[in-house]
């Protein structure tokens, strides 16, 4: 008794399988592949990289202060860390950023900070992956731009102005 019922259920299920769905207008058109952004598109404010590079990653994250930051990482294949750092500094200054400071980074790298009024603080982390004097590595290092995306972060609270000093308010004679 179970076998005929099972055969009946399977045959009913297979009856609807003979027709294939045809796409409507919405699905009939193929979508264009997304273009891979170049360095000029992912970096803001006319920052241009003048050394050979490859975009390694581009993402948003929460920093330790729970602020959203935009991290763009490039790999470079030519040049010394000093040459790459000088090229980035020149590009940042040309884009209207002011050099703030530089600290030593991991394993011979640097952590530079640049500020621009109305934009915020941009961090540039330079990390060489190859030891100096070696040419067998294709990737010489990475440059990470840690940028503030102002469209996601709330504006800083307004600074409170000090009340006028209490004193003689008599203006007349």
């Amino acid at each position: 008794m179970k076998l005929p019922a099972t055969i009946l259920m399977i045959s009913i299920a297979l009856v609807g399988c003979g027709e294939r769905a045809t796409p409507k207008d919405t699905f009939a058109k193929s979508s264009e592949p997304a273009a891979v952004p170049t360095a000029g598109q992912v970096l803001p404010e006319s920052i241009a990289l003048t050394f050979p590079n490859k975009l390694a990653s581009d993402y948003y994250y929460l920093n330790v202060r729970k602020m959203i930051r935009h991290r763009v990482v490039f790999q470079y294949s030519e040049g010394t860390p000093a040459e790459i750092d000088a090229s980035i500094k020149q590009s940042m200054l040309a884009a209207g950023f002011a050099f703030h400071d530089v600290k030593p980074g991991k394993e011979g790298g640097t952590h530079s900070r640049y500020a621009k009024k109305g934009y915020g603080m941009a961090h540039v982390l330079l990390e060489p992956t190859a030891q100096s004097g070696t040419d067998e590595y294709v990737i010489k290092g990475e440059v990470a731009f840690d940028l503030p995306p102002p469209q996601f972060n709330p504006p800083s609270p307004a600074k409170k102005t000090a009340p006028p000093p209490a004193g003689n308010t008599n203006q007349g004679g």
Side-chain angles (χ1 to χ4, degrees):
M1 177 95 178
K2 287 186 177 183
L3 184 61
T6 305
I7 294 173
L8 179 65
M9 295 286 279
I10 291 174
S11 63
I12 291 173
L14 291 176
V15 168
C17 292
E19 297 178 28
R20 294 195 68 169
T22 56
K24 302 288 183 206
D25 290 338
T26 307
F27 298 107
K29 300 174 187 172
S30 65
S31 60
E32 294 295 320
V36 177
T38 61
Q41 294 173 323
V42 295
L43 292 178
E45 306 292 328
S46 304
I47 298 170
L49 302 180
T50 58
F51 51 88
N53 65 75
K54 176 186 170 196
L55 180 64
S57 63
D58 180 6
Y59 59 93
Y60 292 89
Y61 74 100
L62 287 175
N63 67 5
V64 294
R65 296 173 53 198
K66 303 296 183 209
M67 299 294 283
I68 298 172
R69 298 288 292 184
H70 183 197
R71 176 73 56 105
V72 183
V73 180
F74 295 95
Q75 296 175 333
Y76 63 92
S77 58
E78 293 180 17
T80 65
E83 292 169 341
I84 301 299
D85 191 41
S87 173
I88 292 170
K89 185 174 185 178
Q90 180 182 3
S91 179
M92 295 294 281
L93 294 175
F97 285 83
F99 179 74
H100 190 268
D101 65 0
V102 63
K103 299 175 188 175
K106 297 180 198 175
E107 300 180 25
T110 58
H111 177 178
S112 304
R113 297 189 303 170
Y114 298 88
K116 184 173 184 181
K117 186 172 179 137
Y119 182 79
M121 187 70 71
H123 299 256
V124 179
L125 308 163
L126 176 64
E127 295 183 15
T129 56
Q131 297 177 3
S132 60
T134 58
D135 290 331
E136 69 256 17
Y137 297 106
V138 174
I139 303 299
K140 302 291 184 195
E142 289 186 342
V143 178
F145 288 85
D146 189 43
L147 309 166
Q151 70 272 22
F152 293 128
N153 293 320
S156 301
K159 294 181 180 178
K160 295 181 181 179
T161 57
N168 187 359
T169 57
N170 186 1
Q171 295 181 7

